[in-house]
Amino acid sequence: MKDPNPSVVFAAMADDSGQATSNEVEKPQIEPIRLPSVEEIRGQDIWNNCAVRSVVSGVMGGGLGIFMGLFLGALDNPIMQEEMTGRQQLIYQAKQMGRRSISSAKAFAVMGFIFSAAECVVEKARAKHDMTNTAVAGCTTGGVISAKGGPRAACAGCAGFAAFSVLIEKFLEGH
C-alpha cells in the first residue's frame, strides 16, 4: 500500500500514561537541480564585467549621494535666519539642498566607481573572493580620493578607507 503523502511521516510516541500517540513530522522537500537558462548565464556574464559593475556602482553611488545631499542640505540653517522672510528661507534651503546634492552625488559616484573597479580587478587577478580584495580596494579608493592632499594624506586615506571597508565587510558578512 502506497503512502498518499510521502512528505509526512507519522511517528508513534508514548505519553506519560503509556498510551501511544501519533504526531506528524515534516520531512524537508528535496528540490531538483535546475540548470541556469541562457538568459541567466548572459546576465551573469554581463554583471561579471568589471566595467559594467563599476559604472553601475558609480550610478548607484551618485543616487545615494543625491539623497544624502538632500537630507544634509535640509539641515543647514541660514546665518541670518531671524532677518529672513519665510520665502527667503525656503529659497535658501532649496539652494543649499541642490548644492549639497550635486556635491554628494559626485563624491559618492566617484567612490563607488573606484572601489568597485579596484575590487573587481583585484578579485579577477587573484581569482579569489575574500577580505584582501576589500582591503586593497578600500586602500586604492582612499588613496586616490585623498591624493590631492599629498603623499601623507594619500597614505592616511588609504589606511582609513581600507579599515572602514574591512569593518563594513565584516559587519555585512553575517547578514
Side-chain angles (χ1 to χ4, degrees):
M1 184 169 181
K2 190 171 181 180
D3 188 13
N5 190 354
S7 68
V8 177
V9 175
F10 290 97
M13 303 174 123
D15 61 5
D16 293 338
S17 65
Q19 264 187 332
T21 60
S22 65
N23 294 334
E24 290 185 20
V25 179
E26 285 286 326
K27 285 191 341 190
Q29 291 287 336
I30 298 174
E31 293 188 26
I33 296 175
R34 185 183 68 83
L35 294 175
S37 67
V38 175
E39 292 82 18
E40 290 172 335
I41 292 172
R42 284 186 189 143
Q44 288 173 354
D45 287 345
I46 290 170
W47 184 246
N48 285 335
N49 184 339
C50 289
V52 171
R53 194 183 293 188
S54 301
V55 168
V56 169
S57 294
V59 169
M60 290 174 66
L64 176 66
I66 288 172
F67 287 114
M68 291 290 291
L70 287 172
F71 176 72
L72 295 175
L75 298 177
D76 281 345
N77 288 329
I79 296 171
M80 297 180 279
Q81 187 173 4
E82 291 80 28
E83 292 109 32
M84 296 174 78
T85 65
R87 179 180 167 91
Q88 289 173 329
Q89 288 181 11
L90 186 67
I91 291 171
Y92 176 83
Q93 290 292 102
K95 286 181 181 179
Q96 282 300 102
M97 289 169 67
R99 284 188 204 112
R100 283 274 183 111
S101 293
I102 291 170
S103 173
S104 294
K106 287 179 186 176
F108 277 88
V110 168
M111 267 191 285
F113 181 84
I114 294 172
F115 185 87
S116 183
E119 186 177 41
C120 186
V121 168
V122 170
E123 188 174 309
K124 293 224 185 264
R126 295 183 64 231
K128 285 185 184 178
H129 178 74
D130 60 2
M131 201 64 67
T132 303
N133 301 344
T134 302
V136 171
C139 179
T140 303
T141 305
V144 168
I145 289 174
S146 58
K148 288 182 183 177
R152 189 173 286 167
C155 288
C158 168
F161 211 94
F164 178 73
S165 300
V166 169
L167 284 174
I168 293 295
E169 186 76 19
K170 285 278 190 191
F171 175 75
L172 294 177
E173 192 174 82
H175 300 339

